Amino acid sequence: MSRRKRVDRELGRYLQRKSVLSRAYSETPGEEPPPELDATILAEARRAVRDRPRLVPTPFARNWVVPASLAAILVLTVGLVRFTFKETGEPVLPKTAPERRVESTLEEMRKRESVDTLGAVEPGDAGKPSAGQAPLERKGNATDPAVPVAQDTAAVKSDVVTDEPPAAAAVPLMKQRAAQDRPPARAQPGAASPPPRRTTTAAEIEEQATEGDQARAYERRSRDDQPTAGLAAALEAKKMSSKRAALTSADRPESLAQPEVIVANGIPALRLPDSLTAVIANTFPGFRVPDHRDLKEQWAYDPDTYPRFAAWGDFNGDDLIDVALILISRDAYKRVIFNQTAEGYVPALELGADVDSAQVQILEPQRLYVSVIPKGQRFTIQGVEKEDTVEFLGEYDAVNIGVFGSSQSIVFWQQGKYQVQSIDRL
Amino acid sequence: MLAYGNGDDHAFTIIYERHKGALYRYLLRQCGNAEDARELFQDIWMNLIRARERYEVRAKFVTYLFRLAHNRLVDHYRRRARNPVQSNPSRNPGGEDDYLDLETLPGMDCDQVENRLHLKRLAERLLELIGQLPYAQREAFLLREEAGFSLEEIAEVTGVNAETAKSRLRYAVVKLRNALGGELGEER
């Protein structure tokens, strides 16, 4: 009998509880927590439920809560529809206002920066302006009476912030009409990824801004325009080589929508394509892309490895840049791969859902990471045992997803879907 | 747990009494330190208390509980900057002898394994050997013994696939058996 078969037979006996190991283990001391610890925990459990009594609805409330909710939704919907459409049926969308952009204050720019450039999407951020748009255009700021519909939109969808232009932000409310009027966002070869939005000139910015503000403002411009030497020197913006290994191959199509790393004043930021930001906000409410606030522990900023929470490449061989992200919320995380399609980004694989469903508190998402394994590059993961060591050579770019010091998985595209191979490294 | 989430504190007492021993021993034998085990034990239950209203039945409660424990342990190891594999600092961490040394340990005479007293001594030796297993293998073994988990449940708790869980448990069983003495005849 081969060694492997003997080992498997032994494991089988053990799992059937026929092994002497289980009998021996049952003889080990049955330690219990000390009584004072029992008392502390049980007292806390009692105190928790007594200090926060749950509201028990009255029979009347129980009977009427659903009909009342439906009625309220109906009234709100009718109201929104009336405000949303003009007589012609055209949706009232916030208009672009180049003049307003020119007059935008630097404070407004900074606000946009914190929301947009850093790629953070958080619940409760609705109504904040985003880069490239006048703040009032975004969600119907109350100070602009010209856009009442957008105000309503912000009120209803207060947990969602998209990074799309105003028309896209309004889509959930007017899906059918907007679909007719507006072609879907798509990444096309030859089209620069986020469309140029700003019209402010560098000279105007220089007149008004402090040096730091100039740097930030220029950094935003640099996404669309060629940088000038003077302002470029004020920035630390640079390309991140390690994360982009897959993207520098000669056969990669240019000008596809893809993430971009920007460093200003020593603070890195990951700018995601607008359609990806919108998909994250709509599909994973409550979750956000990590930002500079999260750069600690294993995620502490290192130009060679930033960002640990994101990786991108052509994972499925369609010449479009796909993105793997660690999304975080207050007490959970998700590891999601977004495929880029002609219609924009779509979530294609979600790992860690079991963790979220079990509501396990993730104290430190920084113990997770993702990275790219470029296609054609041999990649070796050492297992616990020699025979567990895996060598990987992908047909397409692949994703290396892992927990520092623990398990590691390679996610690769095969036979029209993602396959996951996990390797134990403990 | 759902009953507790709805304000029934007696329900908490029941689940606590049912699972406290297994959880405590799992922690104690994983970190090898009673003080740390008590701290982790309390943290886990406190987290559970805080999360009571968000609890949903999507898995067995015991799986949920040990998943909390697993994550808390991983955090514990990382914060203490302790490599969980290096349970014995004299060994070569990460080296090939990280596990082979177990196989070279002198085996016990198990001819009288049915003898109660001998089983007690075997148990003591077993605990010592469990403490020397690599972290993941030790965890798989303890989850099997203390919580009675299947391979699938061990995989779910530890966040790996079933094959990895099986591999860990297989290594643990083989090493423990070899270390205790490969001549436990009645099992061959």
Side-chain angles (χ1 to χ4, degrees):
Chain A
M1 186 184 292
S2 69
R3 179 180 179 275
R4 187 76 179 192
K5 281 186 179 175
R6 278 206 312 275
V7 168
D8 283 344
R9 198 181 72 151
E10 194 159 310
L11 178 64
R13 288 182 62 83
Y14 171 74
L15 289 172
Q16 293 167 22
R17 302 209 173 276
K18 293 178 180 175
S19 167
V20 73
L21 284 177
S22 293
R23 274 185 288 158
Y25 190 84
S26 68
E27 294 296 325
T28 57
E31 298 97 333
E32 295 276 334
E36 60 270 22
L37 190 52
D38 290 344
T40 301
I41 292 168
L42 291 172
E44 176 61 23
R46 282 191 291 273
R47 189 200 60 73
V49 293
R50 287 173 186 168
D51 285 359
R52 297 183 62 190
R54 293 175 63 81
L55 292 176
V56 179
T58 64
F60 176 82
R62 272 199 296 270
N63 291 338
W64 286 96
V65 64
V66 172
S69 301
L70 290 173
I73 291 169
L74 185 63
V75 168
L76 280 173
T77 306
V78 170
L80 282 172
V81 168
R82 289 185 59 191
F83 279 108
T84 303
F85 290 92
K86 291 180 176 177
E87 288 183 1
T88 59
E90 291 294 325
V92 180
L93 299 177
K95 298 170 184 174
T96 53
E99 307 81 7
R100 192 191 303 277
R101 290 179 188 171
V102 173
E103 295 165 5
S104 293
T105 65
L106 287 167
E107 185 177 349
E108 288 169 338
M109 293 178 197
R110 279 195 293 272
K111 284 180 183 174
R112 289 199 296 269
E113 193 69 24
S114 65
V115 173
D116 194 3
T117 305
L118 296 175
V121 180
E122 290 184 328
D125 277 349
K128 291 180 183 176
S130 70
Q133 285 177 258
L136 302 181
E137 298 166 350
R138 183 56 187 264
K139 287 286 185 181
N141 188 305
T143 59
D144 188 350
V147 284
V149 174
Q151 287 180 32
D152 291 341
T153 305
V156 173
K157 293 188 69 63
S158 62
D159 59 339
V160 173
V161 173
T162 70
D163 200 20
E164 290 285 348
V171 161
L173 285 178
M174 52 195 74
K175 248 179 190 170
Q176 292 178 340
R177 184 67 195 175
Q180 293 166 5
D181 293 343
R182 189 173 58 86
R186 53 188 297 157
Q188 295 177 344
S193 55
R197 294 171 173 174
R198 290 182 47 75
T199 56
T200 314
T201 66
E204 289 167 341
I205 295 172
E206 284 176 295
E207 284 176 8
Q208 301 173 45
T210 63
E211 186 176 344
D213 290 329
Q214 288 175 19
R216 280 192 292 275
Y218 174 75
E219 164 216 317
R220 211 161 37 241
R221 280 181 50 77
S222 69
R223 294 196 292 261
D224 305 323
D225 305 330
Q226 291 299 313
T228 62
L231 283 173
L235 294 173
E236 298 171 42
K238 52 184 168 182
K239 304 292 182 186
M240 314 307 292
S241 58
S242 64
K243 283 285 175 181
R244 298 176 172 213
L247 309 183
T248 54
S249 59
D251 56 349
R252 179 180 65 78
E254 297 296 330
S255 303
L256 293 176
Q258 61 180 272
E260 186 176 7
V261 173
I262 299 162
V263 182
N265 296 328
I267 300 175
L270 179 66
R271 178 180 165 77
L272 297 177
D274 292 349
S275 70
L276 178 54
T277 304
V279 165
I280 293 169
N282 289 326
T283 314
F284 302 105
F287 284 82
R288 65 179 176 85
V289 178
D291 58 27
H292 64 286
R293 295 167 294 178
D294 307 300
L295 301 184
K296 55 189 176 184
E297 308 286 347
Q298 304 276 20
W299 287 4
Y301 177 54
D302 177 344
D304 292 331
T305 57
Y306 178 86
R308 291 283 202 184
F309 52 84
W312 52 95
D314 178 12
F315 301 144
N316 57 358
D318 62 358
D319 288 340
L320 298 173
I321 298 303
D322 313 305
V323 181
L325 282 172
I326 296 171
L327 303 176
I328 60 178
S329 70
R330 281 189 176 181
D331 55 4
Y333 69 86
K334 289 178 185 292
R335 293 168 292 182
V336 186
I337 296 180
F338 296 89
N339 278 357
Q340 188 176 176
T341 69
E343 284 74 38
Y345 280 90
V346 294
L349 180 73
E350 183 180 328
L351 296 173
D354 57 329
V355 173
D356 299 330
S357 64
Q359 294 172 342
V360 172
Q361 186 177 20
I362 303 300
L363 299 176
E364 303 283 346
Q366 285 82 0
R367 70 172 194 244
L368 310 169
Y369 66 87
V370 294
S371 63
V372 168
I373 304 172
K375 72 174 180 180
Q377 179 173 310
R378 196 171 295 278
F379 189 77
T380 303
I381 300 179
Q382 301 290 340
V384 176
E385 318 290 5
K386 279 183 179 176
E387 63 197 71
D388 291 337
T389 296
V390 168
E391 278 213 342
F392 177 80
L393 182 60
E395 183 180 357
Y396 312 116
D397 298 332
V399 188
N400 176 23
I401 294 182
V403 180
F404 286 109
S406 180
S407 59
Q408 191 169 1
S409 299
I410 298 175
V411 182
F412 56 99
W413 188 263
Q414 193 175 60
Q415 297 175 336
K417 62 180 179 180
Y418 282 109
Q419 315 280 343
V420 182
Q421 180 165 6
S422 297
I423 298 96
D424 179 14
R425 298 195 65 213
L426 273 180
Chain B
M1 190 61 195
L2 286 175
Y4 176 60
N6 285 321
D8 181 358
D9 59 353
H10 181 62
F12 182 87
T13 306
I14 293 173
I15 58 174
Y16 179 77
E17 292 296 338
R18 186 178 297 163
H19 300 296
K20 67 173 185 177
L23 181 67
Y24 183 73
R25 288 188 293 277
Y26 164 78
L27 296 169
L28 181 65
R29 288 165 189 175
Q30 275 288 52
C31 58
N33 176 316
E35 188 179 340
D36 288 348
R38 283 195 294 271
E39 182 187 331
L40 294 171
F41 182 82
Q42 183 168 346
D43 279 357
I44 292 161
W45 286 105
M46 293 302 178
N47 280 341
L48 198 64
I49 291 168
R50 280 194 289 271
R52 65 192 179 282
E53 290 175 345
R54 292 182 290 130
Y55 179 79
E56 293 176 19
V57 181
R58 298 192 187 181
K60 282 164 61 179
F61 171 76
V62 65
T63 312
Y64 171 60
L65 177 66
F66 276 86
R67 175 102 207 191
L68 281 174
H70 164 82
N71 283 340
R72 188 66 189 84
L73 260 177
V74 172
D75 283 328
H76 167 75
Y77 281 125
R78 195 183 48 70
R79 286 178 178 171
R80 297 291 173 92
R82 171 187 170 185
N83 182 348
V85 176
Q86 300 174 44
S87 52
N88 181 348
S90 65
R91 294 152 67 210
N92 174 19
E96 199 171 296
D97 61 350
D98 192 39
Y99 54 89
L100 291 180
D101 58 350
L102 278 177
E103 299 180 2
T104 61
L105 288 172
M108 290 188 66
D109 177 10
C110 296
D111 289 341
Q112 302 171 24
V113 74
E114 296 300 326
N115 178 287
R116 189 79 178 176
L117 182 62
H118 199 80
L119 206 54
K120 281 276 184 194
R121 286 163 54 195
L122 197 63
E124 289 173 13
R125 179 76 176 131
L126 177 60
L127 272 189
E128 187 184 332
L129 293 169
I130 288 171
Q132 296 179 44
L133 285 174
Y135 169 81
Q137 295 171 21
R138 182 166 68 236
E139 179 172 53
F141 185 82
L142 290 174
L143 288 173
R144 173 69 185 168
E145 290 297 335
E146 289 295 349
F149 283 154
S150 65
L151 289 175
E152 290 72 22
E153 288 168 328
I154 293 171
E156 186 178 347
V157 165
T158 55
V160 299
N161 62 33
E163 275 305 307
T164 301
K166 183 178 179 182
S167 170
R168 290 175 175 179
L169 192 58
R170 186 172 59 226
Y171 283 120
V173 168
V174 169
K175 287 173 192 172
L176 291 173
R177 265 196 60 90
N178 287 345
L180 285 170
E183 302 302 323
L184 297 177
E186 82 279 13
E187 295 199 358
R188 296 286 179 183

